[in-house]
Amino acid sequence: MATYTTPRTIIMTLLVGALLTPSLREAEAAALPAPVFTSETDAAAYEWTQNLFTAAGFEFPTAIVEFHRDDEACGGARGRTRFGAADETATILVCATHHNPEVEDIWRQRTLLHELAHAWVDQNVDEAPTAAFMELRGTEVWSAREQAWQDRATEHAAEILMWGIQDGDYEVDFRIDNTGCEQLSSGYELLTGVVVGCDVPSA
């Protein structure tokens, strides 16, 4: 498991403690409709993702979240994120299903976090780190439906954010190359400004 230090988290904590009023994003989030759950496990998955972002020291994405029991709403995919204007509310749809309930729960949890990661990156990462991330990952496009999933930098970004906020205790999607700890750590630092240290096995 990777270990990480978060000097940025300390700064963010001090700033939050000094504020007397909620941030604009917090106010926007409070005004959003409540997530639409289809089961208790959906609700538990949502709470789990909130806890991950909080533990990592990041604001939860400003997003409307809906869970569905078929893939029609997601256009046949397990999940979908629809973006509004820059830095505004995203709409996240979770549609993953499976005949095995245990597998389905894992799929829905992972899909939710993946789509939330897309929203977080869209709302928090500027053009310069985005360009640097694409160069680091060797991808030519950020997001384009005509490109294979693994060739889109946005998918690398979502998977790497998922890896980082789970303290490295996450296996990145097998379709993505260059998933050694140092490579993932470099990508995570570009996206978040947080340094992830990789454990070195003792001789």
Side-chain angles (χ1 to χ4, degrees), residues 12-201:
M12 290 172 62
T13 302
L14 292 174
L15 288 173
V16 170
L19 294 176
L20 297 179
T21 58
S23 69
L24 177 60
R25 183 166 295 174
E26 288 174 332
E28 291 173 346
L32 294 177
V36 178
F37 302 124
T38 66
S39 68
E40 291 183 1
T41 53
D42 285 347
Y46 185 77
E47 182 178 4
W48 173 74
T49 59
Q50 287 183 308
N51 291 338
L52 284 177
F53 279 96
T54 298
F58 304 144
E59 284 190 330
F60 195 71
T62 304
I64 299 169
V65 181
E66 299 178 3
F67 293 83
H68 298 267
R69 280 296 167 186
D70 58 64
D71 61 9
E72 182 177 355
C74 297
R78 294 183 187 175
R80 180 67 53 85
T81 300
R82 298 172 181 161
F83 299 104
D87 298 328
E88 292 187 359
T89 303
T91 299
I92 290 174
L93 309 176
V94 176
C95 302
T97 59
H98 194 276
H99 65 272
N100 183 328
E102 293 184 3
V103 173
E104 179 173 282
D105 288 345
I106 294 172
W107 275 13
R108 290 172 77 80
Q109 181 187 69
R110 177 171 175 152
T111 298
L112 172 62
L113 182 56
H114 182 89
E115 301 305 327
L116 285 168
H118 278 310
W120 189 93
V121 170
D122 181 69
Q123 294 168 5
N124 292 277
V125 183
D126 296 329
E127 289 184 9
T130 294
F133 181 84
M134 290 178 64
E135 182 176 0
L136 175 71
R137 299 302 297 173
T139 55
E140 296 183 358
V141 299
W142 180 253
S143 180
R145 291 288 177 189
E146 63 271 17
Q147 295 291 327
W149 186 91
Q150 64 271 19
D151 294 333
R152 306 173 201 162
T154 184
E155 303 300 347
H156 289 239
E159 287 290 306
I160 289 175
L161 186 67
M162 292 170 69
W163 174 84
I165 66 174
Q166 292 181 83
D167 195 16
D169 190 19
Y170 169 74
E171 187 173 346
V172 173
D173 191 284
F174 70 93
R175 292 170 287 182
I176 292 179
D177 295 326
N178 302 321
T179 56
C181 184
E182 294 292 344
Q183 295 163 313
L184 296 176
S185 177
S186 295
Y188 187 71
E189 184 176 357
L190 277 176
L191 295 172
T192 67
V194 176
V195 177
V196 179
C198 296
D199 294 333
V200 178

